Amino acid sequence: MTYLNLSGQTPTQHMMDQDAHAKAEAGRLYDIAKGHIDREEYKTANPIIENILTLHPTHIGAMELKAISAYTFGDTETALYIAREIKKLQPLYPGVDILIGRILVKAEQYPEAVTTLEPALAKQPYDEGFSALSRAYFYLGQKPKAEESLRRAMAITPDKAEHIYMYLSYLYQVTETNDPHFARLHKLISESPTDMNSAYLHYALFKAFQDIGDYDRAFESLQVGAHAKRKAIHHQSGHLERWMDDIRTYFSADFFENQHIQGYDTEQPVFILGMPRSGTTLLEQILHAHPDISGIGEERRLSELITEFSSLPEYDGKPYPLRRSRSGAYLPPQAIGREYMHFMNKTGNSAKRIVSKSIAHRLWAGMSSLIFPGARYIHIHRDPMDMCLSCFATNFTGAAQGYTYDLAELGTHYKTHTRLIAHWNDVLPGRILNVRYEDIVKDTETQARRILGFLNLPWDDRCLEFYKAEKSVSTASVDQVRQPIYDRSVGRWKKYEKHLAPLIEALKE
Amino acid sequence: MLTQTISPLAMASLQDLPGNELVRRFNDLFSRSQFEPAFDVACAEVMRYPALEYAAKRAALAVQKIEMRGFHPLYKQAIVHCFQALTIEHRHFMFAWLALMTFDPLHRPLMNLMDAEDENDFDRKIDWKTIRPCVMDPFFQLGIRKLMVADIPFELLLTRLRRFVLTAHKTGSILTADDLPFLCALSEYFYEHEYAAIETPSETDLISGISEKSDDISLAVLGCYRLLHPYPQAQKRALDKNLSGDIKTLLSFHVIDRNEEADIKKNIPALTTIDDAISKNVADMYEDNPYPRWRGFDLPPVLYPVPRSEILVAGCGTSKWVVQTAMTFPNVHITGIDLSRSSIAYGVRSARQVGAFNTYFAQGDILKLDQMDKQFDLIESSGVLHHMKDPDAGFKQVVGRLKPGGRMFIALYSELGRQSIVECRKLIAEKGFSITPEGMRQFRADIISLPDEDPLKQIAMRRDFFSLSECRDLVFHIQETRYTIEDLKNLLNRHNLTFLGFREQAKALQEKYISLYPDDPRMTNLDNWEKFEQAFPLTFANMYQFVCCRREEENTPSEGFAQIDACKFFSIGRTI
Ligand SMILES: C[S@@+](CC[C@H](N)C(=O)[O-])C[C@H]1O[C@@H](n2cnc3c(N)ncnc32)[C@H](O)[C@@H]1O
């Protein structure tokens, strides 16, 4: 008996034809998806990529697009898996090792990234590959190698603003007024770059002028750079501050008096609260040096869990302010605690105390205190002029800390922040220790002893030699934590005093 | 029939996949009803992300659809992780757990004890050294702690183990502090089942011998037979600051939760007066034993930010429905009322723990609802009205609290669906079992000793048979009215209500109905349902769970209800 379908084909024939159709269709879809990825339209591209992979599960091009898209969304796990699958299928596929290396850098797996990227780039030089390698070396504390890698990136694409910025800001010290970098920067600036590139170039210029002690011109460049950055990230002023006020009013004293939420029972978590550039990294490093403490740096896991999954009913007529996600997923506080603790223990080696220092912790304190009734908080305070200037002088990654690119706004933000912290101190009595950056710098031991007492841990001398600890650090203050404490940054704002009128004004009550 | 046997190779390759890919595959397989491979994928995800609630949720979804026919250590490990999840109903894993216990070579010595003919035979066969590795297995311990295992052979096994433990403890030297995890687990099992299993006079004697001891082993053993709350040494130990581990967990159920409920009870507002004689009796009955006990439950995976609807739960009991609904609709206000302050206290405590503070609880009699003036978009009253002397009077009161266009979710006993229960009630009346823990234990023991073919024994297929308060509600209730569809029609007519459909029905059942009555696509014709129930008498073995509203208001739901309805969270009538 033969099977005949309506078109008169035998089943195998039919399947072969289907296969050919599928291949052709996959090819057509690939061109469309590629177009979307090139235009950075990832959301549109993703379903098309999935379609291709359904038709043709080992379509290398589509797999690569999927890896790039996952990488861009921060899903380094998927990106890495797919890139490695490509390598298994076609070990010689050009660029696959570099792709893997770049993903590893994004996943903060620096040593593996280096061993992947070095041989791959030797075979096939590629500027983005070198800059990723430079980043890996930098976070591993190997500055000369970081510098060399970046130079090689710049040799391939000399005009890439981001690379010049990284080079001048972190790796190279200008010593004289006729350094050729000045001319380069001025030339590139005159070629009407995009806002983002203009920001990179002006921040680079700021650093160069500061290196040679020309503070007026340095500040001038900084202002132009900050303005460009603010435009580039489409910052909306006031949003964050309104949100902070909403958080403060929802988590009222009355709220805490009337709730009995069951949290996750542990004393491990320690959250550092502070503004950017207030010394949170220094504080974390001092604590991390203690054998019973593990610092897990600036992680986003708690932020993700809270904004994606947390919810509480309205309280006193006010809606729960922390949830940001429109997706329906929901987890009660105790379950969030369980997931987060699993992450913390994995990253922090199940230490007795695990310190997390995300800038966002100040927003979550109300909720995290419910999730972890045994968590402790350390608030670090720093002279507002020094801190705000340091914020203003920093080109933060991406759109983060958008309020720092305008002096007046920064002043307002600082006041909102102070109100919020004062509020947490009121409603979470006994759970927050307040320390001052300047005190830590002046007398580290006294402050460290005070903090360890608060954490209920014994004294350990290693806290004073924290800069010897072997560990990669990935924050804007990466450069300083490799050095012993220095007080150069205390009072630095005085050099720029005459330019800071808008900040001084905003800080007034 | 679906069976589950794993291919270790398949699992190994699954475990390399990134999380998002596992989720994608699970959704794909599950939506195509490929439940076995879907369960494998979920287990792989659980192994990779042991603390991820949503991975455990996926495993729980799939495990209900399969029949476990083989053993693989990975299933065991995955299920152990799932037991730690906080937002799923652990009971979903019961059948898989029982199957794995049966097939697991480690548990053979323990499971072999199930063949013991009687107590003496059991005592001859048991050897502590060989069964200790079984009872110390976390898989076993978590199972008996969390599953509310509803299985007669298993209950017998644990009851005999309990007697063994008690005797061993008395003679000393066998049990040590290392055995506490097992003793606490065993104790939690009997606590959760409210000591439904019968105890022999010799056990009663032995218990009185340890009832004043304050060491942890004695407390755990005592907890296998008695609620520890009234014992002063348990109170003292529970408040010990340095308490940790299993004994802490155990005492938090036995003592801490109970203390909190006692505190809450003092402050429950009274919404109405209670002076009806039956109401008073019912209140007393539930006062000792809040019904039903529940712990974990499936927290909805989705949230619906519906603004401002008002829901009333008339006869909320221990409020599982209240808490679940409150968490699903965080901006909706839910009022729960009940006669029993104990039950309400249980609900308040549970609502507090998860932060469901959009709930309001009060003690009140449904017969007196007209003493309140608030009206509601949705009123839920499940398994309540048929316990009233005059259900019509209750019905009238409930309808009176409905906003124009409001809806009611009602559940009532079905005469046909409860035939086997009616037989049991007859037996109880004949033999004169009293509505006391002893009477109920005796009744259960009688049923358990029946031969498997005896139709009366069917009652043991019901989960409710396995805990005292649920068993009491199932067969011992002092007041119950059963309905036929004909009665339902008359009831709705008397109160000028329109029938809008049955709730919570399996898809297969709906398909059967549609194939029989294709011209009733909305499935609201009660004449059809009458014939349907005659043909399939166990359709409403649970209850008639239905939705109704005032006549002429079918097409004009209240604003608040329309918003809830639009979420499609509640299955009303036909689910497509
Ligand atoms: C079988 S339980 C059902 C509880 C809950 N609806 C459920 O489904 O889990 C019946 C409840 O109705 C309550 N009840 C009975 N008569 C009542 C009345 N007249 N007024 C208020 N509650 C009543 C009882 O106290 C008991 O908690």
Side-chain angles (χ1 to χ4, degrees), chain A residues 220-234:
Chain A
E220 212 174 280
S221 313
L222 180 56
Q223 255 171 330
V224 182
H227 187 70
K229 177 73 188 256
R230 201 164 183 271
K231 257 172 75 194
I233 60 174
H234 306 291

Side-chain angles (χ1 to χ4, degrees), chain B residues 92-136:
Chain B
H92 298 318
F93 290 93
M94 189 179 85
F95 290 112
W97 180 84
L98 278 168
L100 289 171
M101 284 296 294
T102 311
F103 297 127
D104 185 350
L106 172 74
H107 285 293
R108 213 151 283 157
L110 182 66
M111 301 308 274
N112 282 343
L113 286 174
M114 279 191 175
D115 302 335
E117 271 158 28
D118 55 24
E119 254 82 81
N120 293 335
D121 192 30
F122 183 88
D123 289 347
R124 267 194 304 279
K125 285 184 172 142
I126 188 167
D127 168 29
W128 178 239
K129 266 206 209 74
T130 49
I131 69 149
R132 192 173 182 279
C134 311
V135 299
M136 289 305 287

Side-chain angles (χ1 to χ4, degrees), chain A residues 75 77 81 262 313 328 330 339, chain B residues 17 20 48-49 51 54 327:
Chain A
D75 182 0
E77 192 201 3
Y81 170 76
Q262 189 165 55
Y330 164 70
E339 278 197 37
Chain B
L17 291 176
N20 282 343
R48 281 275 299 290
Y49 307 96
Y54 279 84
M327 299 309 285

Side-chain angles (χ1 to χ4, degrees), chain B residues 260-407:
Chain B
E260 192 182 337
E261 284 168 29
D263 267 356
I264 294 170
K265 237 167 113 170
K266 291 183 210 140
N267 297 315
I268 296 170
L271 199 66
T272 73
T273 49
I274 299 169
D275 35 43
D276 177 78
I278 290 277
S279 292
K280 278 187 171 158
N281 271 342
V282 170
D284 285 346
M285 163 171 164
Y286 284 104
E287 221 35 60
D288 323 329
N289 259 330
Y291 164 89
R293 305 188 59 75
W294 57 277
R295 220 193 272 161
F297 61 99
D298 286 320
L299 260 190
V302 268
L303 280 177
Y304 300 105
V306 174
R308 298 258 173 280
S309 295
E310 294 286 348
I311 301 182
L312 172 69
V313 182
C316 58
T318 45
S319 293
K320 184 171 175 177
W321 196 86
V322 176
V323 177
Q324 198 164 6
T325 310
M327 299 309 285
T328 310
F329 300 98
N331 299 331
V332 162
H333 292 188
I334 307 189
T335 307
I337 67 145
D338 202 285
L339 287 173
S340 156
R341 300 174 81 83
S342 303
S343 302
I344 293 176
Y346 193 101
V348 170
R349 182 178 55 73
S350 311
R352 279 177 168 186
Q353 287 181 349
V354 285
F357 39 75
N358 49 338
T359 51
Y360 306 87
F361 293 93
Q363 186 189 27
D365 187 342
I366 292 174
L367 289 171
K368 298 286 173 61
L369 277 181
D370 53 3
Q371 292 178 357
M372 83 193 279
D373 42 35
K374 201 165 171 178
Q375 291 193 317
F376 300 87
D377 296 288
L378 170 60
I379 302 180
E380 198 256 12
S381 189
S382 168
V384 177
L385 297 169
H386 53 219
H387 287 320
M388 298 175 66
K389 191 178 71 188
D390 180 3
D392 266 67
F395 224 83
K396 179 160 175 257
Q397 289 287 336
V398 173
V399 177
R401 293 296 98 218
L402 218 47
K403 275 188 194 169
R407 300 295 192 252

Side-chain angles (χ1 to χ4, degrees), chain A residues 50 66 75 77-78 81 250 255 260-262 265 311 313-314 323 328-332 334-335 338-339 342, chain B residues 17-21 48-49 51-54 84 87 248 299 301-303 308 327 330-331 352-353 355 358:
Chain A
E50 288 304 332
K66 185 168 172 173
D75 182 0
E77 192 201 3
T78 301
Y81 170 76
Y250 180 89
F255 171 94
H260 309 259
I261 289 174
Q262 189 165 55
D265 192 12
S311 165
E314 290 183 354
R323 190 182 173 87
Y330 164 70
L331 291 174
Q334 202 184 12
R338 189 173 84 97
E339 278 197 37
H342 180 77
Chain B
L17 291 176
N20 282 343
E21 188 64 19
R48 281 275 299 290
Y49 307 96
L52 193 71
E53 289 283 320
Y54 279 84
Q84 313 289 348
T87 59
K248 179 174 179 181
L299 260 190
V302 268
L303 280 177
R308 298 258 173 280
M327 299 309 285
N331 299 331
R352 279 177 168 186
Q353 287 181 349
N358 49 338

Side-chain angles (χ1 to χ4, degrees), chain B residues 441-493:
Chain B
R441 281 184 199 123
Q442 200 56 58
F443 160 74
R444 291 185 78 257
D446 270 26
I447 293 285
I448 290 172
S449 66
L450 292 173
D452 285 351
E453 318 76 66
D454 195 308
L456 274 180
K457 206 171 181 175
Q458 275 179 15
I459 192 181
M461 304 284 283
R462 295 183 184 243
R463 213 180 57 196
D464 292 2
F465 180 73
F466 289 85
S467 81
L468 270 201
S469 66
E470 287 178 281
C471 186
R472 184 202 50 207
D473 232 76
L474 188 64
V475 283
F476 275 88
H477 210 290
I478 47 177
Q479 177 74 44
E480 93 169 39
T481 310
R482 291 177 298 276
Y483 292 79
T484 62
I485 298 259
E486 179 68 30
D487 296 335
L488 274 194
K489 281 193 273 188
N490 294 334
L491 181 76
L492 292 167
N493 270 335

Side-chain angles (χ1 to χ4, degrees), chain A residues 413-425:
Chain A
H413 180 86
Y414 172 80
K415 283 195 293 193
T416 316
H417 166 84
T418 313
R419 266 202 305 274
L420 184 60
I421 296 289
H423 178 71
W424 295 140
N425 269 296

